[in-house]
Amino acid sequence: MGFLSLRMTETNWMPSGAKTNTKVNVERMGKMRVMLPVEDVDLTAVKYKHELIQAPHLTGFPLKLFVWLVEAPLVGSLILSLLKKQNRTNEELRRTVIPEKPMFKPEFPPQEKEPGVIIMEEDSNAGDRVELALKCLPPYDPAHHWSGDSFPFLYWKIRDYAHAYRNGHVTPSMVAEKIISVMEEFNKRNPPTPFLISFDAEELRTQATASTQRFEEGEPLSVLDGIFMAIKDDIDCYPYPTKGATTWYHEVRPVKEDAVCVSKLRSCGVIFIGKANMHELGLGTTGNNPNYGTTRNPHAQDRYTGGSSSGSAALVASGLCSAALGTDSGGSVRIPSSLCGVVGLKTTYGRTNMKGSLCDCGTVEIIGPIASTVEDVMLVYAAILGSSLADGISLNPSPPCLPNLASYESSNALRSLRLGKYTEWFNDVYSTDISDKCEEVLNLLAQTHSCVTIEITIPEMHEMRTAHVVSVGCEALCVLNPDCEDGKDTQLSLDTRTNLALFRSFSASDYVTSQRIRRRIMYYHMEIFKKVDIIVTPTTGITAPVISPSSLNQGETNLQVSGNLMRFVISANLLGLPAISVPIGHDKQGLPIGLQLIGRPWAEASILRLASAVEELCADSRKRPSTFYDTLKAN
């Protein structure tokens, strides 16, 4: 995610002195604004307001100078105050009275059981859950891939690899050698465009040899045995260091064991190829990284992958990995998945255990899978799901489920889905290629599956974005402050330091106010979900942006691009809702477009079911990336 300075919407506040029969305090003087209690807001009066972000686009020396100025004690405060005034941030946070109590982490009302699902046991063995997930999928047809080249472009699925291993077409060790040769090729490129930050060919060979031996003995651990995955560099994967794409974080935080999610995957036989490149500390939306080189989009080498899980999405899109793990605190799984033309799942907050990640104490971030298909996302999700003990107690999650895609009941559930669309928001995109393609998919869902689209309204979207950036910024500072006090912040990239300067300008009262806003936004969404099952939007407001050559050495800050990339993803993070990005086609430049599905709390099964239907409807529109490696047939 990247930081945003955001404007407020003025449809639900009252000027000081206004008369009302509500319990709002209206006796304040001056320019204070008083928000109506959330239940009294007139939704018919809400008017959508486009974002107007006032901030410079900087790269190279101008960015370096700007960082020097904003970090200066007096000048920096003045600059940040001016920017926040231009964007009316303080007006939202410090001059508005909000009657609701703060919500310091997502609080969900009880949810009804989803139809047509198979329930997973959180406490069961990860391999057993994966085996159960296999039963949710339609029967595997090897002829679909293996009978010739007459089919449109399709990614190899996890079940394709499993079939190839079991039938002796290829071994994990053979696939590993192909991956190693590609990584060596990328290391020689100038400028560097690394998919991975940490890579060890011998470690990869060791894992692949063990998996190959299990297949030779007829004892694979699961369908995930021998499946190659990358782990984002803010999630622990022993013996690799976790750097968060910095040059130093591994020095102050040594890795002694796998993160919980990684451990579950390892128990299933997954082979880890290394630590995927990312936007430094996850504080950016493009994937730009001057420390290790910026990962290029497999569909267009001059374009960004999106961030912050940039390497994870690029590795999957290029065919080198069946899946990868990313983290998502501001669209960081969904944005790169959309820009790279793959599938990215953000789970409900608390559905996956965050222990072993750099931000394991936040209230907006999750660990989620990226894969080339919905089917593969389901298999990886089944392996990693499971709340921490603390979240299991405080959040009282509904049992995790997967859609039984082969059942008649699941088909009925698909036909009864009500899809929520906020038209003005839906159409707020840089290019109508995006909204037109998304609208086309909604029409196909109506024609093919009788899904009904219902118009909705979401108030206070600008306040929501401000609340999100304050929340994620303050939580990031909480983790980083001890090292910043030791002077490590001077070793961070320039755009990261710009973000941290803004985050430091937020006060404790700003944080509490943001949590009051969170409660209001949660109320609106829970009311919406009484009328619809899933909210549908484009994933991003733009397709993959061009990489500025001047940004490669020192980074860049471009809040207009960040605003376009993050426009539709924020609510799922601030409110902890599940969401998924599914590729649905390309714009006129051949760049991927993603459709986002946002579900009720704990309703991963519903969005996965609809995502699978969308994927099937759009299968013929997927195009082979210009950078693509066939790791099965090439052997």
Side-chain angles (χ1 to χ4, degrees), residues 242-293:
T242 296
K243 301 177 182 179
T246 69
T247 59
W248 56 266
Y249 209 87
H250 58 295
E251 298 172 358
V252 300
R253 184 185 176 277
V255 172
K256 300 179 181 179
E257 60 183 1
D258 289 333
V260 171
C261 288
V262 173
S263 177
K264 292 177 180 180
L265 291 170
R266 197 184 293 275
S267 71
C268 295
V270 167
I271 299 173
F272 303 108
I273 70 169
K275 303 302 289 296
N277 202 349
M278 59 179 286
H279 207 112
E280 188 180 62
L281 293 175
L283 299 179
T285 59
T286 60
N288 180 286
N289 190 314
N291 296 329
Y292 298 97

Side-chain angles (χ1 to χ4, degrees), residues 295-493:
T295 302
R296 307 302 182 101
N297 195 309
H299 289 268
Q301 289 291 294
D302 64 335
R303 302 278 178 158
Y304 280 121
T305 56
S308 62
S309 306
S310 50
S312 295
L315 281 158
V316 172
S318 66
L320 288 168
C321 283
S322 296
L325 289 189
T327 54
D328 192 318
S329 62
S332 291
V333 162
R334 291 160 288 154
I335 290 171
S337 295
S338 178
L339 269 53
C340 292
V342 293
V343 183
L345 173 66
K346 182 216 167 282
T347 64
T348 306
Y349 174 79
R351 180 65 91 188
T352 54
N353 194 323
M354 295 294 293
K355 183 180 179 182
S357 65
L358 292 190
C359 190
D360 59 2
C361 60
T363 66
V364 296
E365 188 165 12
I366 60 91
I367 294 174
I370 297 173
S372 58
T373 65
V374 175
E375 173 181 312
D376 288 356
V377 160
M378 287 174 60
L379 293 173
V380 176
Y381 167 63
I384 68 173
L385 66 81
S387 303
S388 68
L389 178 60
D391 285 338
I393 294 172
S394 64
L395 297 174
N396 190 27
S398 301
C401 304
L402 286 178
N404 188 355
L405 298 179
S407 74
Y408 178 77
E409 186 182 1
S410 185
S411 298
N412 279 341
L414 185 63
R415 286 194 291 270
S416 66
L417 281 180
R418 301 163 299 168
L419 310 180
K421 176 191 175 191
Y422 187 6
T423 297
E424 290 177 288
W425 185 37
F426 189 97
N427 293 332
D428 188 6
V429 292
Y430 184 78
S431 167
T432 55
D433 288 356
I434 298 172
S435 52
D436 289 348
K437 192 67 181 177
C438 292
E439 187 69 41
E440 180 183 322
V441 173
L442 293 185
N443 292 333
L444 285 172
L445 286 169
Q447 295 165 13
T448 308
H449 299 291
S450 302
C451 297
V452 178
T453 299
I454 298 172
E455 186 66 25
I456 61 173
T457 300
I458 306 176
E460 302 170 22
M461 299 189 75
H462 291 270
E463 289 92 338
M464 174 179 70
R465 295 184 181 105
T466 299
H468 171 266
V469 71
V470 173
S471 298
V472 74
C474 291
E475 289 167 8
L477 271 181
C478 182
V479 174
L480 293 170
N481 264 337
D483 301 306
C484 292
E485 291 295 319
D486 281 346
K488 292 290 189 180
D489 54 340
T490 60
Q491 300 177 41
L492 294 170
S493 62

Side-chain angles (χ1 to χ4, degrees), residues 103 105-108 328-335 344-351 363-367 425 458 461 464-465 468 472 518 521-522 525-526 529 534-539 566-581 596-602 604 607:
M103 178 187 291
K105 64 189 300 186
E107 298 173 9
F108 305 125
D328 192 318
S329 62
S332 291
V333 162
R334 291 160 288 154
I335 290 171
L345 173 66
K346 182 216 167 282
T347 64
T348 306
Y349 174 79
R351 180 65 91 188
T363 66
V364 296
E365 188 165 12
I366 60 91
I367 294 174
W425 185 37
I458 306 176
M461 299 189 75
M464 174 179 70
R465 295 184 181 105
H468 171 266
V472 74
R518 176 162 19 194
I521 304 301
M522 181 69 85
H525 280 72
M526 292 305 101
F529 282 123
I534 293 171
I535 298 171
V536 183
T537 74
T539 305
M566 297 178 72
R567 178 159 299 132
F568 302 103
V569 298
I570 294 302
S571 62
N573 292 107
L574 184 66
L575 306 182
L577 302 174
I580 191 169
S581 178
Q596 179 182 225
L597 312 174
I598 305 172
R600 306 164 187 254
W602 314 116
E604 285 85 1
I607 61 173

Side-chain angles (χ1 to χ4, degrees), residues 132-309:
L132 192 57
L134 279 173
K135 297 178 180 179
C136 296
L137 304 177
Y140 175 68
D141 179 12
H144 200 54
H145 260 314
W146 296 92
S147 61
D149 298 321
S150 59
F151 296 101
F153 170 69
L154 296 172
Y155 281 97
W156 294 110
K157 297 181 180 180
I158 286 172
R159 288 196 289 178
D160 293 320
Y161 280 91
H163 173 81
Y165 294 154
R166 284 167 172 77
N167 289 276
H169 296 311
V170 71
T171 68
S173 290
M174 293 167 65
V175 177
E177 291 304 321
K178 176 66 176 179
I179 294 172
I180 290 169
S181 67
V182 173
M183 293 306 162
E184 290 174 346
E185 171 196 335
F186 268 81
N187 288 338
K188 297 175 183 176
R189 292 190 178 185
N190 188 23
T193 57
F195 286 136
L196 295 169
I197 286 177
S198 297
F199 173 72
D200 185 329
E202 291 309 310
E203 169 66 18
L204 184 59
R205 287 189 177 106
T206 298
Q207 295 178 72
T209 298
S211 179
T212 298
Q213 184 175 346
R214 289 193 292 269
F215 278 100
E216 290 174 349
E217 296 171 352
E219 296 181 354
L221 297 175
S222 76
V223 73
L224 296 181
D225 204 337
I227 300 303
F228 291 81
M229 289 185 59
I231 304 300
K232 187 178 179 182
D233 196 37
D234 60 354
I235 304 169
D236 293 344
C237 181
Y238 187 82
Y240 294 106
T242 296
K243 301 177 182 179
T246 69
T247 59
W248 56 266
Y249 209 87
H250 58 295
E251 298 172 358
V252 300
R253 184 185 176 277
V255 172
K256 300 179 181 179
E257 60 183 1
D258 289 333
V260 171
C261 288
V262 173
S263 177
K264 292 177 180 180
L265 291 170
R266 197 184 293 275
S267 71
C268 295
V270 167
I271 299 173
F272 303 108
I273 70 169
K275 303 302 289 296
N277 202 349
M278 59 179 286
H279 207 112
E280 188 180 62
L281 293 175
L283 299 179
T285 59
T286 60
N288 180 286
N289 190 314
N291 296 329
Y292 298 97
T294 296
T295 302
R296 307 302 182 101
N297 195 309
H299 289 268
Q301 289 291 294
D302 64 335
R303 302 278 178 158
Y304 280 121
T305 56
S308 62
S309 306

